[in-house]
Amino acid sequence: MSDCIFCKIASGEIPSNTIFENEDFRVILDNGPATKGHALVLPKAHYADLYEIPEETVMGAVKVAKTVAGTMKEKLGCDGLNLVQNNGAAAGQTVMHFHLHIIPRYENDGQHILWKPTSPSSEELVEIRKTIVGE
């Protein structure tokens, strides 16, 4: 897409702090990182979100994330790692180009990339399952 900033970054049209690149993906450091080393896996082809992207491209993104995660563990000494992928504004997606966040985590880094668990009843869970699987 001609107006997509992530397409421009992934293609190299806009400079970035690239830490990995292959034929299909560019991995850049996030300009507003949650932690030291926070990076984004960007497909070079445009897909708005998980609903649009082909399965093989998602699998490629995860493989790239695994490679980069190993390097981060070795070079940055992170204690853990979050992979985050948002779809739609309600889920926090701000750029409508599929991307996967790789967020190195450090003991006491002050980040809270978690959710507050709810407490649905057993009956509610059964109804949700039935709705999803079509029973």
Side-chain angles (χ1 to χ4, degrees):
M1 291 182 66
S2 63
D3 62 339
C4 175
I5 191 160
F6 280 1
C7 283
K8 292 177 181 179
I9 293 170
S11 72
E13 183 180 335
I14 294 176
S16 64
N17 286 299
T18 300
I19 59 172
F20 177 91
E21 183 176 11
N22 66 18
E23 184 178 316
D24 299 315
F25 299 94
R26 181 182 296 263
V27 181
I28 64 168
L29 292 177
D30 193 307
N31 283 339
T35 63
K36 177 182 174 182
H38 179 170
L40 305 175
V41 178
L42 306 176
K44 291 184 177 179
H46 182 83
Y47 306 101
D49 52 33
L50 186 65
Y51 306 110
E52 284 189 9
I53 192 167
E55 268 184 35
E56 60 274 5
T57 307
V58 170
M59 292 185 322
V62 172
K63 286 180 181 180
V64 166
K66 180 175 174 33
T67 297
V68 172
T71 301
M72 287 178 169
K73 178 123 176 100
E74 176 188 341
K75 303 287 186 174
L76 298 177
C78 54
D79 301 306
L81 184 112
N82 290 111
L83 291 181
V84 178
Q85 203 283 306
N86 303 320
N87 295 278
Q93 185 179 11
T94 57
V95 178
M96 299 306 155
H97 180 114
F98 177 94
H99 55 287
L100 180 60
H101 294 259
I102 307 171
I103 306 171
R105 298 304 303 274
Y106 307 91
E107 292 295 328
N108 302 310
D109 63 18
Q111 285 296 343
H112 301 283
I113 306 168
L114 302 171
W115 55 87
K116 294 178 183 174
T118 60
S119 301
S121 68
S122 296
E123 295 80 12
E124 287 173 304
L125 290 174
V126 167
E127 286 305 311
I128 294 167
R129 180 187 56 80
K130 287 179 179 180
T131 299
I132 292 170
V133 300
E135 290 182 5

